[in-house]
Amino acid sequence: MMLLFKPSTAHAKRSKPRPYQSFSESLLLDSIEATESFTKKWISQDHLSACSSCTLSSIFSTENRAEGRKFVDVINSLQYAIQGVTLVNPESHKLTRAHNLLSTAMKHLEKEFYRVLKSNRRNLDPESVSIRSIPSFNPRKKVSIYSNVPKSEEADIMTDLQMIADCMISSGYENECVRTYKKIRRSIIVDSLSKLGFENLSFGKIQKLDWDSMEKNIKKWLEATKIVINNLFDGERILCDHVFSTSPSVAESCFSEITLDSALTLFIFPVSVARCRKTAEKIFLTLDVYQTISNLLPRIEEIFSYDSTSAVRFQAADSLRSLGEAINYMVAEFEASIAKEASKSVIPGGGVHPLTRYVMNFVVFLADYNESLAGSDVGETASTVTTRLGWLILVLLCKIDTKSRIYENVALSYLFLANNLHYVISKVRKSNLRVVLGDEWVANHQGKVSQYLEKYEKVAWGEVLTSLSEEERVVLEEDVAKERLKRFNEVFEEAFRKQSGWVVPDTKMREGLKDSVAKKLTYVASLFYEKYHVETWGDIVRYVPKDLGNYLSDLYLGTGRTCIPSFKPTESGRSQLFQSGR
């Protein structure tokens, strides 16, 4: 009896020849399956969100971040597997399936890239990135001083963007990645500039602005530029360099297209400022603009170091050159205005001339910009700035010397010179001019003040002093001596009346001058009174030597008081007539 044997199904299958599958294809198949698993899960969520009011949960949100990064790893594995199969079996039917799947995954990854950028606008604000930048990300080694977002979260966001960008670029989706990045980041830059109050004004519009409006725009520019350079553009450069760290050319392209137009506009504005109608009053704001660019220039050159952003560096340098030329012109115009000042009005009492106050206030402020004035783009050095500021003061002093000749009273002209030069020196002493001009300059000009005061005393009080002066061995007849004392009374009172309206504004100089005059008068009067025993002369004796200083107390205040209180010594006063000033 013959038994028939029917093989099992399993055996039949094992016996069926299996198609050959290389290791690369096996790896590709595994990658396809893993990628499909992820895309089905997250793409279905996208579809659900689009069809309902549900809020989409990003695969790179904080709670899903591990999934998101695993998704990127899976796509990278798929791309690697595709490359492997392409090398050994470019006709494999699995490649079509893999490429289609890769395209689907890339579209989803592009959406995720957009979501991360869009949903983290606040965290990825360039200013925030710059201020809070993590040292490992930033070659400029910034330290966080403000932190609304934990550094670990900020680092995670930047790492997510970097992983997505690397994956898309290596998979051949560079254009899609860059397009999305530029769109979001450019809008952030534009919005940030708008919030800072920066207006994109054309040269024509700027030229039509009145100075008040121009001044407001310059102040806005000054406030905005420091933030724009130190934080906004700096933060954008940091972010670009990190997100596209494996693709320097992409980083350069993105940074250039995102910031170039705004940066050029920022530095074209100072050129417009330099071309405005130039007056001395505008020099300080112009210097502020110059100083701001000069101080920021190293940062500008660092941030915009790419070849594609060289126009920004050149524009900043051109702005400095234009501003420097404008500043030089305005300083020259100011100097000319001093020389041309032709008022003939006499300053009452020989006080400080308004021109002296105006010029010195101007020069004091100018000295605060001595480093900017010494900048190479202005064509000055520290020594030439010193010479130039010293020259402006010299032009002023020459003009003041000319104005002193308007006074008919020679003594008053010397007091006028002393007052004005003393004012100049006090301004130098109390400002940065002392550093610029030096102590030797101060000492030399203080010596001139002393000379002016000595000449003033000689002319104003000389006749009073000589009225009682005589050789020590000469003894006058009593009648002659009495006439001398009467003459002293007359010239003393006359000198007082003439000078009652004269002024010495500086308290220290005023008190010093009164003390000097009083000591000289007291000395000659004391010698005369003691020599002739004037206590017996009755009403002829009007002034006690030791009290002469008190009679001068109202002088140099410009009071215009013309009468001196008469003094008749009491019996106790007579005994003191000879105790003054010996």
Side-chain angles (χ1 to χ4, degrees):
M1 182 176 179
M2 183 179 291
L3 296 174
L4 296 175
F5 176 74
K6 187 179 181 180
S8 67
T9 303
H11 185 270
K13 286 181 179 179
R14 283 196 301 270
S15 62
K16 186 178 180 180
R18 187 174 183 177
Y20 171 75
Q21 182 172 278
S22 68
F23 172 76
S24 296
E25 289 179 310
S26 176
L27 183 63
L28 178 60
L29 187 59
D30 290 342
S31 295
I32 288 173
E33 291 174 352
T35 306
E36 283 179 337
S37 175
F38 266 95
T39 54
K40 285 178 182 178
K41 175 182 178 182
W42 289 98
I43 291 176
S44 65
Q45 286 196 21
D46 266 358
H47 179 72
L48 178 63
S49 176
C51 298
S52 70
S53 59
C54 298
T55 302
L56 178 63
S57 178
S58 170
I59 194 174
F60 285 95
S61 62
T62 303
E63 60 272 16
N64 298 321
R65 178 166 285 121
E67 282 281 286
R69 292 182 178 180
K70 189 175 180 181
F71 182 42
V72 172
D73 289 338
V74 168
I75 296 176
N76 285 331
S77 297
L78 177 62
Q79 172 65 13
Y80 178 77
I82 289 173
Q83 292 174 351
V85 173
T86 300
L87 289 174
V88 299
N89 186 12
E91 301 301 324
S92 174
H93 69 280
K94 295 182 179 66
L95 285 174
T96 301
R97 180 184 173 190
H99 279 299
N100 290 337
L101 181 60
L102 181 63
S103 177
T104 301
M106 280 296 116
K107 288 179 181 178
H108 182 72
L109 198 59
E110 182 181 351
K111 289 182 180 179
E112 290 296 334
F113 193 54
Y114 178 87
R115 286 170 187 156
V116 174
L117 287 167
K118 187 77 172 178
S119 62
N120 289 285
R121 280 175 68 104
R122 182 179 178 185
N123 302 341
L124 296 177
D125 174 79
E127 184 176 351
S128 301
V129 171
S130 178
I131 294 174
R132 297 198 302 262
S133 57
I134 300 168
S136 61
F137 291 167
N138 182 10
R140 288 174 280 277
K141 301 296 182 184
K142 289 185 177 294
V143 178
S144 173
I145 55 174
Y146 306 108
S147 184
N148 295 322
V149 179
K151 283 186 179 178
S152 57
E153 175 68 10
E154 185 181 277
D156 284 338
I157 294 168
M158 294 176 75
T159 298
D160 291 343
L161 290 171
Q162 183 187 36
M163 290 181 68
I164 297 172
D166 288 348
C167 182
M168 293 185 70
I169 292 171
S170 64
S171 299
Y173 287 79
E174 177 183 315
N175 290 339
E176 291 80 356
C177 176
V178 168
R179 181 179 62 244
T180 300
Y181 186 87
K182 289 177 180 176
K183 180 181 178 181
I184 298 294
R185 299 308 300 174
R186 187 185 290 114
S187 67
I188 291 175
I189 292 292
V190 172
D191 289 348
S192 298
L193 286 170
S194 178
K195 289 177 182 177
L196 288 169
F198 180 74
E199 296 182 57
N200 185 3
L201 298 173
S202 66
F203 176 72
K205 288 182 178 179
I206 292 173
Q207 293 299 298
K208 293 178 182 178
L209 295 176
D210 58 47
W211 178 242
D212 287 341
S213 299
M214 187 64 177
E215 187 174 2
K216 291 177 182 177
N217 277 280
I218 292 175
K219 289 179 178 178
K220 285 182 182 179
W221 185 93
L222 290 170
E223 292 174 1
T225 299
K226 295 173 185 177
I227 298 173
V228 169
I229 297 300
N230 288 323
N231 297 335
L232 196 64
F233 291 150
D234 182 59
E236 194 59 44
R237 175 66 190 267
I238 291 168
L239 192 61
C240 280
D241 286 355
H242 180 70
V243 172
F244 302 106
S245 58
T246 60
S247 304
S249 62
V250 176
E252 176 177 353
S253 171
C254 286
F255 179 74
S256 176
E257 290 196 33
I258 290 168
T259 63
L260 188 62
D261 289 344
S262 297
L264 287 175
T265 301
L266 189 71
F267 293 114
I268 287 173
F269 178 78
V271 177
S272 301
V273 173
R275 292 177 181 174
C276 287
R277 183 173 176 272
K278 300 169 184 65
T279 62
E281 290 74 17
K282 298 177 182 178
I283 191 171
F284 298 110
L285 273 178
T286 307
L287 276 164
D288 286 334
V289 175
Y290 179 91
Q291 193 170 59
T292 296
I293 299 176
S294 181
N295 292 340
L296 290 172
L297 196 58
R299 299 300 311 281
I300 294 168
E301 292 175 346
E302 179 187 9
I303 295 168
F304 296 94
S305 59
Y306 291 131
D307 289 341
S308 60
T309 56
S310 61
V312 178
R313 303 194 302 272
F314 296 149
Q315 185 61 57
D318 185 59
S319 296
L320 280 180
R321 180 189 58 77
S322 298
L323 290 166
E325 291 175 354
I327 290 165
N328 274 337
Y329 180 87
M330 284 186 274
V331 172
E333 283 294 296
F334 178 70
E335 178 186 324
S337 70
I338 301 172
K340 292 175 183 177
E341 205 281 337
S343 66
K344 300 293 184 180
S345 58
V346 174
I347 303 304
V352 178
H353 200 283
L355 179 66
T356 304
R357 297 182 188 277
Y358 172 69
V359 171
M360 287 311 300
N361 286 334
F362 184 95
V363 177
V364 164
F365 282 124
L366 205 57
D368 290 336
Y369 296 89
N370 65 303
E371 291 183 3
S372 294
L373 290 170
S376 59
D377 289 291
V378 188
E380 303 276 357
T381 64
S383 60
T384 54
V385 168
T386 300
T387 301
R388 189 160 197 177
L389 294 180
W391 177 256
L392 287 175
I393 295 176
L394 180 60
V395 172
L396 166 66
L397 294 178
C398 289
K399 178 60 65 172
I400 291 301
D401 184 72
T402 299
K403 291 183 179 300
S404 71
R405 298 168 194 170
I406 299 174
Y407 291 98
E408 295 180 0
N409 189 299
V410 177
L412 184 56
S413 70
Y414 283 127
L415 190 63
F416 172 77
L417 288 171
N419 279 329
N420 281 267
L421 182 52
H422 186 272
Y423 180 85
V424 169
I425 294 170
S426 66
K427 282 290 186 180
V428 172
R429 278 184 172 144
K430 297 174 183 177
S431 69
N432 198 44
L433 276 171
R434 183 162 193 165
V435 177
V436 177
L437 298 176
D439 290 336
E440 185 177 354
W441 186 97
V442 173
N444 289 339
H445 286 78
Q446 187 59 54
K448 292 182 180 179
V449 172
S450 298
Q451 292 174 11
Y452 287 144
L453 291 177
E454 287 175 5
K455 291 179 179 179
Y456 153 77
E457 287 185 22
K458 184 176 181 180
V459 176
W461 296 98
E463 188 176 1
V464 180
L465 294 171
T466 57
S467 65
L468 293 181
S469 299
E470 60 183 16
E471 293 184 13
E472 186 177 351
R473 295 181 180 180
V474 175
V475 178
L476 301 175
E477 295 290 336
E478 183 174 309
D479 290 344
V480 177
K482 287 181 178 180
E483 289 300 319
R484 293 283 292 273
L485 184 57
K486 290 178 183 178
R487 178 60 182 165
F488 169 78
N489 294 337
E490 292 172 0
V491 295
F492 176 70
E493 292 167 5
E494 178 63 22
F496 184 93
R497 280 192 292 271
K498 281 185 178 179
Q499 300 179 62
S500 62
W502 297 5
V503 295
V504 177
D506 182 80
T507 302
K508 186 176 180 180
M509 187 170 120
R510 180 172 63 248
E511 296 304 316
L513 181 58
K514 285 195 292 187
D515 185 62
S516 175
V517 173
K519 284 181 178 179
K520 290 180 174 66
L521 291 174
T522 300
Y523 177 74
V524 296
S526 296
L527 289 178
F528 187 88
Y529 280 36
E530 182 179 359
K531 185 175 183 179
Y532 292 103
H533 303 287
V534 301
E535 70 273 13
T536 62
W537 291 1
D539 292 342
I540 296 177
V541 181
R542 296 184 185 176
Y543 307 106
V544 176
K546 75 178 186 66
D547 287 335
L548 286 172
N550 294 332
Y551 293 119
L552 303 179
S553 60
D554 287 344
L555 277 185
Y556 312 127
L557 294 173
T559 60
R561 181 178 177 180
T562 58
C563 82
I564 305 175
S566 60
F567 175 77
K568 187 172 183 178
T570 62
E571 290 301 322
S572 59
R574 294 179 187 277
S575 64
Q576 299 173 355
L577 287 176
F578 309 109
Q579 298 177 13
S580 56
R582 295 301 301 273

